Amino acid sequence: MNTSEAISSAAVSGLAERRLDWRHKAVPATDNGTTHADFLAAKHTLAELQTPLLTLDANALAANADRLAKWCAEHGVLLAPHGKTTMSPQLWTEQLNRGAWGITLANFAQLRVAREFGVRNLQLANSLTDPHAIQWVARVATPDAPILSWIDSLGTVDVINRTLDGSDAVLDVLVELGSHGGRTGARGVDAAMEIARAISASPNLRLVGVSGYEGSLAHTADDAGLAAVRGYLAQMRLLHEELLAEGLYGSASVIITAGGSAYFDDVVTVLSPCINRGTGPRVDLMIRSGAYIIHDDGFYRGISPFSREGDAPFKAGMHGWARVVSQTEPGLAILDAGKRDLPFDEGLPEPQLIGSTLGGPMEPLVGAEITSVNDQHSFMTFDAKTATVNPGDVIRLGLSHPCTAFDKWTVIPVLNSSQDTTSSGDQTVVDLIHTFF
């Protein structure tokens, strides 16, 4: 791989030559067999697509990417966005081109995708316990193209030691601090210190930082939720200070990393005092926000720091489009999009606009609600006295949780702007985003 690039421009641009066909449900049947490049050259519009459909908003994506890049630069922190949100090398490129340190992934398969597209700096926000994954990382990671991973138990240290026994490979790892009731991570500072000592004693491991994930400890931005997050982050800071005092870091450059898309402001507030550019090891603070580039009309709209502060909030960069396929009871419409098409785990889709055609004029759909979703259908209730809904009508849906939206689509059209309530024109497809889940 070319380590002078943050990601291989040749590999990403090569997606333009991919052929589109029946495997890509967002692509019209009339364009079966065309290439990505030819599809865009034809300047297709929203009206030429079909439902069910997921689309992205080009302006929102750019604005969101710019917003967090600027914020990180202002606060002197690194960004390694969690690539599992989109699994799209094209969107990773947008983040890396704006100064992101690298890309964070969640498992071995995702690491392989990222390295195939030439992502130089990688972080696995997880522990390596599969021998195949351990051996692969040991083989492909280099000082110029590092792969960081996390360790949260003595058992993981033992697995890596046994797998690499007799090898001169050394893996760069961070000790992960967890919390009782949380997800992964050593349960407490004392347990994390014991693990760090075992890492320091291993011939195949080098301790380069502290990691954690505060998002599993709270799901709200109320006082109780924020107190839990901040208390946990304070423990991460304490762990770092004890590691420094005991001299357990094995590198002159140390990373402290936390921060999803919900509480990254608290991460910086609590942990930025750890940043060190003077004597001793260099210490960088890294956040891993991933959903921010897409944002949403649900969970992240309510919990994002920028939404809570009211200071230039992120913009919803994705929408669902569904058509009414059945309207046989007053006040109930069945739509042609369901669990296989749209996210539902962090809130059901939100009906926003209605129109008679895809790409045509739309108006607000007030009082409508998605009450449940099946595999291929959504149940939408509405006030039959004030709203008229007919078979064939198109509903634009606000969505919640981009992480479980992208995995349902291999190709996602990007539109030149969001359809708003006053628009009477169509929208051009300006890009196609490929995903690799």
Side-chain angles (χ1 to χ4, degrees):
M1 63 179 291
N2 180 2
T3 56
S4 66
E5 291 185 301
I7 187 171
S8 171
S9 56
V12 176
S13 62
L15 293 171
E17 301 308 313
R18 290 204 163 208
R19 293 207 170 270
L20 309 173
D21 54 30
W22 50 269
R23 293 169 296 179
H24 308 106
K25 62 182 179 179
V27 176
T30 52
D31 287 275
N32 187 59
T34 190
T35 66
H36 167 127
D38 289 342
F39 185 90
L40 295 183
K43 298 189 181 302
H44 287 286
T45 67
L46 178 61
E48 298 172 75
L49 306 181
Q50 68 281 303
T51 58
L53 182 64
L54 177 71
T55 63
L56 304 177
D57 176 346
N59 294 335
L61 299 184
N64 293 343
D66 288 341
R67 179 79 173 89
L68 192 59
K70 179 181 178 182
W71 188 89
C72 288
E74 290 171 346
H75 289 79
V77 300
L78 303 178
L79 173 64
H82 214 321
K84 59 92 177 175
T85 297
T86 65
M87 285 307 295
S88 170
Q90 294 155 282
L91 294 178
W92 298 346
T93 298
E94 293 301 314
Q95 295 167 309
L96 291 166
N97 285 348
R98 288 170 169 82
W101 169 89
I103 298 295
T104 300
L105 285 312
N107 59 36
F108 178 33
Q110 294 172 6
L111 282 178
R112 291 177 63 193
V113 172
R115 190 44 61 91
E116 182 67 22
F117 279 90
V119 179
R120 184 176 67 232
N121 293 342
L122 293 172
Q123 175 176 215
L124 177 69
N126 219 330
S127 294
L128 287 167
T129 57
D130 184 323
H132 297 290
I134 294 168
Q135 292 164 353
W136 183 87
V137 170
R139 185 172 66 253
V140 306
T142 70
D144 291 330
I147 301 177
L148 311 181
S149 63
W150 300 0
I151 291 184
D152 71 351
S153 73
L154 294 174
T156 301
V157 174
D158 183 57
V159 168
I160 294 174
N161 284 339
R162 284 188 282 109
T163 302
L164 298 180
D165 185 35
S167 165
D168 60 0
V170 178
L171 306 188
D172 286 337
V173 299
L174 295 83
V175 61
E176 181 189 0
L177 181 67
S179 177
H180 292 287
R183 195 167 60 189
T184 56
R187 291 328 199 225
V189 172
D190 289 344
M193 288 295 294
E194 185 179 7
I195 296 164
R197 295 184 190 106
I199 294 170
S200 180
S202 168
N204 299 115
L205 294 170
R206 176 168 46 232
L207 184 63
V208 299
V210 172
S211 62
Y213 177 55
E214 75 292 340
S216 63
L217 302 177
H219 215 65
T220 63
D222 58 15
D223 290 344
L226 293 177
V229 167
R230 292 164 184 167
Y232 167 72
L233 295 171
Q235 290 297 296
M236 283 189 66
R237 179 177 174 179
L238 176 61
L239 172 58
H240 166 67
E241 291 170 347
E242 293 197 10
L243 291 170
L244 280 176
E246 200 165 319
L248 291 176
Y249 287 123
S251 171
S253 181
V254 172
I255 289 174
I256 303 176
T257 178
S261 292
Y263 306 107
F264 58 81
D265 58 335
D266 293 288
V267 169
V268 172
T269 297
V270 176
L271 294 179
S272 60
C274 299
I275 295 174
N276 178 35
R277 302 287 188 271
T279 59
R282 174 189 173 94
V283 181
D284 283 300
L285 177 59
M286 174 190 290
I287 64 171
R288 305 187 307 275
S289 309
Y292 77 95
I293 191 171
I294 308 301
H295 200 52
D296 66 13
D297 280 311
F299 175 69
Y300 287 109
R301 177 181 62 187
I303 203 169
S304 165
F306 296 158
S307 297
R308 289 187 266 123
E309 297 167 6
D311 176 23
F314 292 126
K315 301 177 180 180
M318 65 176 182
H319 292 99
W321 306 83
R323 202 175 298 271
V324 178
V325 293
S326 177
Q327 207 283 290
T328 56
E329 297 179 20
L332 174 65
I334 307 300
L335 312 183
D336 65 353
K339 295 179 180 179
R340 302 292 176 84
D341 311 297
L342 305 174
F344 58 92
D345 59 314
E346 291 286 2
L348 296 178
E350 173 187 281
Q352 295 177 332
L353 305 174
I354 184 171
S356 59
T357 61
L358 190 64
M362 305 196 86
E363 59 185 33
L365 184 54
V366 180
E369 180 183 8
I370 301 296
T371 57
S372 64
V373 290
N374 294 158
D375 285 353
Q376 311 293 170
H377 298 93
S378 294
F379 292 71
M380 185 182 78
T381 60
F382 62 95
D383 186 348
K385 296 179 181 178
T386 60
T388 300
V389 178
N390 296 308
D393 283 349
V394 174
I395 311 297
R396 193 190 81 172
L397 299 162
L399 305 176
S400 179
H401 203 199
C403 300
T404 50
F406 273 60
D407 65 337
K408 297 168 175 55
W409 298 84
T410 53
V411 166
I412 308 173
V414 182
L415 305 177
N416 59 351
S417 66
S418 287
Q419 181 86 6
D420 61 34
T421 58
T422 62
S423 176
S424 60
D426 208 353
Q427 301 171 77
T428 303
V429 178
V430 295
D431 204 355
L432 296 172
I433 293 299
H434 297 260
T435 67
F436 296 88
F437 285 93

